[in-house]
Amino acid sequence: TRQIGVAKGRALAELLAARGGSPWEAFFALLAELELRATMILWQELDEADLERVIRYPHASLGSDSWPAAPGADGRPHPRGYGAFTRFLRHHALERGLLPLEEAIRRLTSLAAASAGLHDRGRLEVGLAADLAVLDPARLAERATFAEPKRTSQGVRHLLVNGALAVEEGALTGRRAGRLLARPSRS
């Protein structure tokens, strides 16, 4: 991917203001300059009240629309790629009390897996994929920011992916046991 040096890491409002004219004209001029190839714009338009209504709905499983970005790789992904689930657990469950921690974890695991048709994941059961996170709720905190989006969360003591230890005592192990999961066909 190609990044325009002047745009890298700068807020869209700042870029548009520097160009002058109407915000929409400046926005489309910027998109034309970037040639719409491998262009990533991070939007911050979510209304907290709307999100709260979704969280309170008992059948809403949660996920993230971020994509993986290796810690040492170039680029600036959205911080949710490193902190979405930690933020959900800390902010919405523990701090705001919108739902109990156990229910928040169910929404991120068994409910999300069932919604995606992944019947071998999301529950602790003999014969299922061994994906497991051991959390320290007292230390649970997202650390990723727009300035530093690849900072890992605190409070994740251990993480097993397909039975392999990916995080041990809060540190990445370098093991990569994950694999691409295809949604099962619905025949």
Side-chain angles (χ1 to χ4, degrees):
T1 60
R2 178 174 71 92
Q3 290 193 5
I4 304 296
V6 71
K8 184 177 180 181
R10 292 179 61 198
L12 184 59
E14 177 187 348
L15 291 170
L16 299 182
R19 289 175 175 268
S22 107
W24 282 112
E25 288 173 2
F27 175 71
F28 287 112
L30 178 63
L31 289 180
E33 182 181 326
L34 295 173
E35 300 173 355
L36 297 175
R37 287 187 303 215
T39 301
M40 180 171 54
I41 298 172
L42 306 178
W43 297 99
Q44 291 177 282
E45 295 296 323
L46 186 61
D47 178 71
E48 196 69 23
D50 287 341
L51 179 59
E52 184 174 318
R53 276 190 290 281
V54 170
I55 290 170
R56 288 185 186 278
Y57 180 68
H59 304 292
S61 63
L62 287 109
S64 173
D65 62 354
S66 186
W67 55 88
D74 285 339
R76 278 190 132 143
H78 196 288
R80 77 171 61 108
Y82 279 71
F85 302 113
T86 310
R87 175 174 173 71
F88 173 65
L89 295 173
R90 163 63 47 204
H91 180 71
H92 298 290
L94 294 173
E95 292 174 356
R96 305 240 359 258
L98 297 179
L99 64 173
L101 182 60
E102 297 81 4
E103 174 62 10
I105 290 170
R106 184 187 78 83
R107 303 270 189 100
L108 298 175
T109 57
S110 62
L111 183 59
S115 297
L118 302 171
H119 303 291
D120 67 334
R121 300 187 180 268
R123 299 179 321 278
L124 292 176
E125 196 173 299
V126 174
L128 300 187
D131 297 333
L132 179 68
V134 178
L135 307 175
D136 179 352
R139 293 190 55 238
L140 201 58
E142 70 172 319
R143 298 182 326 127
T145 64
F146 282 96
E148 296 181 68
K150 296 178 185 175
R151 295 178 70 195
T152 56
S153 295
Q154 288 180 264
V156 179
R157 294 202 46 219
H158 305 289
L159 178 65
L160 280 86
V161 178
N162 285 325
L165 209 50
V167 173
E168 185 173 17
E169 292 300 337
L172 294 170
T173 65
R175 292 188 191 100
R176 294 179 163 196
R179 62 182 181 84
L180 182 63
L181 299 174
R183 181 181 212 142
S185 65
R186 297 180 187 220
S187 49

